[in-house]
Amino acid sequence: MIEIEFRKVGKRFVDRQSGALRSAVSHLDIRIHSGEVVSIIGPSGCGKSTLLNMGAGLYLPSEGEVYVGGERVTRPVKKVAFMLQKDLLMPWRTIRANVELGMEIDGVPAAERRRVADELLARCHLKGFEQHYPYQLSGGMRQRAALARTLAVDPQVLLLDEPFSALDAQTKMVLQQDLARMLHQGRKTALFITHDLVEAIALSDRLLVMSERPGTIIEEIVIDLPLRENPLERRKLPQIGPLQGRLMELLKVGRESAALH
């Protein structure tokens, strides 16, 4: 089953200085199946975040159509959850209350909210911190809480926009492991943006490489490797180095192509 689909999608914005229309992405055809984790890599400013915003219904495409679960996206989609680089936890709410927020908005009874929040916090290694406030947690712990909040609404599709890029290398790898395990156990579908090539390979079933703006897909790479649920072990596989080299070459080609235009 196709969970999220972009059909010949383009997006233009008005340039604030010149008033001219500028294309962020162009002619995107992407299909992501149920349970897949697909990473998008590409140069800064190529429209990766624009793509996720359209997937969530925060932007409407200028051309083409976006579908989630077979339904055309015309407004923000409840079936989709977004996780960003910043945790965006509310400082006046406890960690448990932050995780409960989406369920609270959806009208889930208090007892059920607490049960789900406590279960997810335990899975994210935050048991015992339910009553703490965000300022009392480290950056990595806050991102774990943000991950628990993202999963608490039981989304059909997760959109992840560089969620670990601000963390140190060791914390990042621990959180990659947590994310991969929970995506695998929950059979979740995810679209992941990262500039970390090894992270993309370690977490994904497929990679989509984008060109410079206006972003288009210049290559699709299937990651035919075991251990997607265990990125720490997948990183050790001998195929990782050649795949990383291939991605570096593709990104170089993308830059050179853009320079010619």
Side-chain angles (χ1 to χ4, degrees), residues 2 4 15 17 40 42 44 49 74 79 104 106 140-141 150 163 170 172 174 185-186 189 198 202 205 212 224 238 249:
I2 296 174
I4 183 165
D15 188 288
Q17 293 183 334
I40 299 178
S44 295
S49 295
T74 58
K79 298 174 184 177
E104 186 178 325
D106 287 342
M141 294 170 78
T150 302
Q170 182 176 353
K172 180 190 289 191
V174 171
Q185 290 173 351
T189 305
V198 176
D205 297 299
E212 293 272 2
D224 189 18
E249 286 298 315

Side-chain angles (χ1 to χ4, degrees), residues 217-247:
I217 304 301
I218 59 174
E219 184 117 356
E220 175 184 327
I221 298 176
V222 176
I223 306 300
D224 189 18
L225 298 175
L227 301 171
R228 196 205 75 187
E229 74 282 4
N230 190 345
L232 289 178
E233 290 302 314
R234 185 183 262 198
R235 282 172 174 267
K236 300 175 185 177
L237 296 174
Q239 299 94 323
I240 295 293
L243 280 168
Q244 185 181 12
R246 173 63 177 152
L247 292 174

Side-chain angles (χ1 to χ4, degrees), residues 140-178:
M141 294 170 78
R142 289 168 63 111
Q143 280 299 87
R144 283 199 185 101
L147 176 58
R149 180 186 58 193
T150 302
L151 293 167
V153 295
D154 194 23
Q156 189 170 337
V157 176
L158 281 80
L159 303 177
L160 303 139
D161 194 349
E162 299 189 70
F164 308 139
S165 61
L167 303 174
D168 65 85
Q170 182 176 353
T171 302
K172 180 190 289 191
M173 285 193 287
V174 171
L175 283 173
Q176 288 168 359
Q177 191 81 352
D178 290 341

Side-chain angles (χ1 to χ4, degrees), residues 46-207:
C46 71
K48 299 185 296 294
S49 295
T50 298
L51 184 66
L52 292 199
N53 279 302
M54 288 190 289
L58 302 178
Y59 297 161
L60 294 180
S62 304
E63 300 96 25
E65 299 169 332
V66 180
Y67 290 83
V68 172
E71 297 181 8
R72 186 180 176 188
V73 174
T74 58
R75 60 177 65 88
V77 185
K78 280 191 174 182
K79 298 174 184 177
V80 171
F82 223 137
M83 185 175 173
L84 304 173
Q85 179 178 339
K86 295 181 180 179
D87 59 72
L88 300 179
L89 298 175
M90 295 181 175
W92 59 89
R93 294 178 71 112
T94 64
I95 296 305
R96 177 189 287 131
N98 268 285
V99 173
E100 290 183 6
L101 180 61
M103 295 183 288
E104 186 178 325
I105 292 170
D106 287 342
V108 176
E112 178 65 6
R113 295 200 308 263
R114 178 165 182 159
R115 183 193 68 78
V116 171
D118 285 353
E119 179 183 310
L120 283 168
L121 287 169
R123 289 169 63 192
C124 290
H125 312 292
L126 288 171
K127 185 175 177 61
F129 293 92
E130 297 89 349
Q131 292 300 108
H132 285 61
Y133 288 87
Y135 77 90
Q136 297 174 299
L137 272 59
S138 68
M141 294 170 78
R142 289 168 63 111
Q143 280 299 87
R144 283 199 185 101
L147 176 58
R149 180 186 58 193
T150 302
L151 293 167
V153 295
D154 194 23
Q156 189 170 337
V157 176
L158 281 80
L159 303 177
L160 303 139
D161 194 349
E162 299 189 70
F164 308 139
S165 61
L167 303 174
D168 65 85
Q170 182 176 353
T171 302
K172 180 190 289 191
M173 285 193 287
V174 171
L175 283 173
Q176 288 168 359
Q177 191 81 352
D178 290 341
L179 173 65
R181 174 173 44 84
M182 284 189 274
L183 289 176
H184 179 72
Q185 290 173 351
R187 298 182 179 179
K188 297 295 184 183
T189 305
L191 188 56
F192 190 90
I193 290 176
T194 179
H195 286 286
D196 184 331
L197 303 184
V198 176
E199 177 177 72
I201 298 166
L203 289 172
S204 305
D205 297 299
R206 280 191 292 144
L207 304 180

